[in-house]
């Protein structure tokens, strides 16, 4: 059975305190690993797609990495505006048409 | 310009009623989706349409019926609403094997 597990469920960081979020997956026929950011009351906003083990992508203070079993979202020197829920999703099916989401990590960055 | 829009944003209704949620995308995408996000923030795919053709239909009660009048619209009609249908419903769209872009969500509350 396909599974996507994110940890921790919630994370509180001081501004500037770097950390990592974990996404472990067991998905047959993986077609990409996706990271989204979701702010309260809004829809998920796309961040990254990773397709193969060893791949890395960066955007501002965020860097996503992928292994054969998990993905990490590294946050370097976070700011309060980075506070959000971060969702990872495994792409399944032709062209990763079917996204299978984890339950997210709720990040709070304290000034 | 709004890329993926949904109406209404909030919907409060009584058990047993029938209601519809509308979704429109102005991105020229060929695939549209409906997702349900429950109270624990778990986001699960319900349906996917490609060029007005249903291609994904997850295990969803047949009280839920999607309708795609054209490539830019995907509406969700729900019959005989139940308490357990209370959730946030998100529409999404994408072009080919590209990224999925999400709408702002519709919060449905069934009393």
């Amino acid at each position: 059975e396909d599974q996507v597990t994110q940890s921790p469920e919630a994370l509180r960081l001081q501004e500037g305190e770097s950390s990592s979020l974990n996404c472990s997956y067991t998905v047959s026929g993986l077609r990409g690993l996706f990271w989204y950011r979701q702010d309260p009351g809004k829809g998920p906003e796309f961040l990254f797609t990773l397709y193969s083990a060893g791949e890395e992508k960066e955007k501002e203070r965020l860097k996503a990495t992928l292994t054969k079993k998990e993905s990490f979202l590294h946050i370097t020197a976070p700011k309060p505006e980075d506070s959000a829920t971060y969702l990872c999703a495994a792409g399944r099916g032709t062209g990763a048409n079917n996204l299978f989401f984890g339950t997210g990590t709720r990040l709070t960055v304290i000034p | 310009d709004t890329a993926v829009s949904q109406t209404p944003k909030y919907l409060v209704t009584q058990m047993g009623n029938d209601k519809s949620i509308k979704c429109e995308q102005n991105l020229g995408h060929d695939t549209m989706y409906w997702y349900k996000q429950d109270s624990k923030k778990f986001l699960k795919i319900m349906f996917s349409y490609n060029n007005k053709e249903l291609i994904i239909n997850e295990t969803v009660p047949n009280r839920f019926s999607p309708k795609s009048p054209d490539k830019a619209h995907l509406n969700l009609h729900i019959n005989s609403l139940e308490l357990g249908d209370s959730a946030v419903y998100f529409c999404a769209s994408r072009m080919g094997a590209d990224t999925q872009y999400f709408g702002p969500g519709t919060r449905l509350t069934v009393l």
Side-chain angles (χ1 to χ4, degrees):
Chain A
E1 184 182 337
D2 291 345
Q3 259 191 325
V4 175
T5 305
Q6 291 189 246
S7 61
E9 283 188 22
L11 181 63
R12 288 172 65 90
L13 298 174
Q14 289 292 135
E15 185 172 0
E17 179 187 2
S18 301
S19 188
S20 296
L21 313 182
N22 177 264
C23 172
S24 299
Y25 62 90
T26 307
V27 174
S28 57
L30 182 75
R31 299 283 186 271
L33 192 290
F34 298 75
W35 281 98
Y36 283 82
R37 168 189 171 132
Q38 187 175 23
D39 292 298
K42 296 191 175 180
E45 177 188 341
F46 173 73
L47 293 174
F48 305 108
T49 309
L50 303 166
Y51 289 103
S52 55
E55 189 175 357
E56 299 183 353
K57 288 195 177 170
E58 284 188 71
K59 180 181 178 180
E60 296 180 357
R61 294 176 293 282
L62 301 177
K63 182 169 82 171
T65 62
L66 182 66
T67 73
K68 288 187 178 179
K69 294 183 178 180
E70 55 193 351
S71 177
F72 293 93
L73 185 65
H74 307 278
I75 304 176
T76 302
K79 298 183 177 182
E81 53 262 42
D82 295 323
S83 297
T85 295
Y86 290 86
L87 300 167
C88 77
R92 307 181 297 185
T94 304
N97 187 43
N98 187 337
L99 290 185
F100 188 73
F101 279 86
T103 49
T105 292
R106 189 173 67 255
L107 174 67
T108 305
V109 182
I110 305 160
Chain B
D1 286 343
T2 302
V4 182
S5 60
Q6 297 178 226
T7 53
K9 180 139 178 83
Y10 300 97
L11 185 53
V12 181
T13 189
Q14 299 288 328
M15 261 193 335
N17 284 351
D18 302 338
K19 290 293 179 185
S20 292
I21 306 172
K22 295 186 176 181
C23 177
E24 177 181 1
Q25 54 94 3
N26 62 5
L27 298 166
H29 290 172
D30 58 6
T31 306
M32 296 184 72
Y33 306 80
W34 278 110
Y35 286 83
K36 178 180 180 180
Q37 189 170 46
D38 61 23
S39 57
K40 295 185 178 181
K41 306 298 184 186
F42 181 56
L43 194 61
K44 184 173 168 60
I45 193 168
M46 300 172 70
F47 302 104
S48 172
Y49 267 76
N50 178 266
N51 286 318
K52 303 197 312 177
E53 182 183 345
L54 181 66
I55 54 173
I56 293 176
N57 184 354
E58 292 291 307
T59 308
V60 177
N62 58 15
R63 298 182 294 103
F64 290 79
S65 54
K67 286 184 174 51
S68 181
D70 55 57
K71 280 172 53 174
H73 296 85
L74 180 62
N75 303 323
L76 183 65
H77 189 75
I78 316 170
N79 288 330
S80 304
L81 278 155
E82 300 178 358
L83 293 176
D85 298 332
S86 295
V88 181
Y89 292 84
F90 287 99
C91 177
S93 73
R94 77 172 195 172
M95 186 66 182
D98 204 350
T99 303
Q100 290 188 28
Y101 292 90
F102 285 78
T106 295
R107 180 175 294 277
L108 171 65
T109 303
V110 182
L111 304 174

